[in-house]
Amino acid sequence: MKLLIINGPNINLLGIREKKIYGNTSYEKFCEDLIGNAKEQSIEVDIVQSNIEGEIINYIHDALGTYDGIVINPGAYTHYSIAIYDAIKAVNIPTIEVHISNIYSREEYRRKSVIAPACIGQISGFGVYGYTLAIIGIKNYLESVNQ
């Protein structure tokens, strides 16, 4: 099983930005740990990050035929990117939306995701561990639909 992890705007600043919300772990350490967690599940992952909406859409398009699932943290694009929503719908690859913080306990504008309806699920508020939960979630989902 092979998954693509897509990180949106400012996720590359983990360990630097708003540590009370996003934690102290650096982006590099986060990626290293996530790859290790995926290996424990016998899953191969590739991790990409972009602050540019069009690049995120290209990552989604390029996943077609290569990846079994996608885990995406669209960052602020969560709240307004119909283009990312459309890309996920177009490729029809099982996708889980992840947020490090609990978006429902934050500012009102953060509580609405236009991306979530294109996904098989959403994980919010478990810190970076939410990505591991998403990996396990996609694995379980794919195993159940392929029985």
Side-chain angles (χ1 to χ4, degrees):
M1 187 175 300
K2 189 172 182 181
L3 304 180
L4 177 62
I5 313 295
I6 302 173
N7 289 302
N10 301 310
I11 305 301
N12 58 310
L13 296 178
L14 284 179
I16 298 169
R17 71 181 280 225
E18 301 176 274
K19 292 180 183 183
K20 288 183 179 182
I21 296 173
Y22 299 104
N24 296 317
T25 304
S26 72
Y27 184 71
E28 293 75 19
K29 175 72 170 137
F30 155 73
C31 291
E32 179 183 308
D33 291 347
L34 189 56
I35 291 167
N37 291 341
K39 281 184 185 175
E40 289 175 8
Q41 299 293 320
S42 300
I43 297 172
E44 181 183 346
V45 296
D46 290 326
I47 304 171
V48 295
Q49 188 277 330
S50 180
N51 296 316
I52 301 167
E53 184 179 29
E55 287 182 1
I56 293 169
I57 292 164
N58 288 340
Y59 290 141
I60 295 166
H61 290 179
D62 292 345
L64 195 57
T66 303
Y67 296 96
D68 301 301
I70 297 172
V71 173
I72 185 168
N73 182 339
Y77 292 130
T78 299
H79 316 295
Y80 62 88
S81 181
I82 303 302
I84 291 174
Y85 165 91
D86 285 344
I88 293 168
K89 292 291 281 185
V91 298
N92 197 31
I93 298 170
T95 301
I96 295 180
E97 179 183 328
V98 173
H99 297 283
I100 295 167
S101 69
N102 180 353
I103 62 173
Y104 301 99
S105 68
R106 297 186 64 193
E107 302 91 345
E108 182 66 33
Y109 69 90
R110 293 189 193 273
R111 297 177 189 166
K112 171 71 174 161
S113 170
V114 300
I115 308 281
C119 299
I120 62 169
Q122 181 192 67
I123 298 170
S124 171
F126 291 95
V128 294
Y129 184 66
Y131 287 82
T132 298
L133 293 172
I135 288 169
I136 294 167
I138 286 184
K139 178 181 180 182
N140 289 339
Y141 174 84
L142 290 170
E143 287 173 351
S144 72
V145 298
N146 291 327
Q147 288 183 0

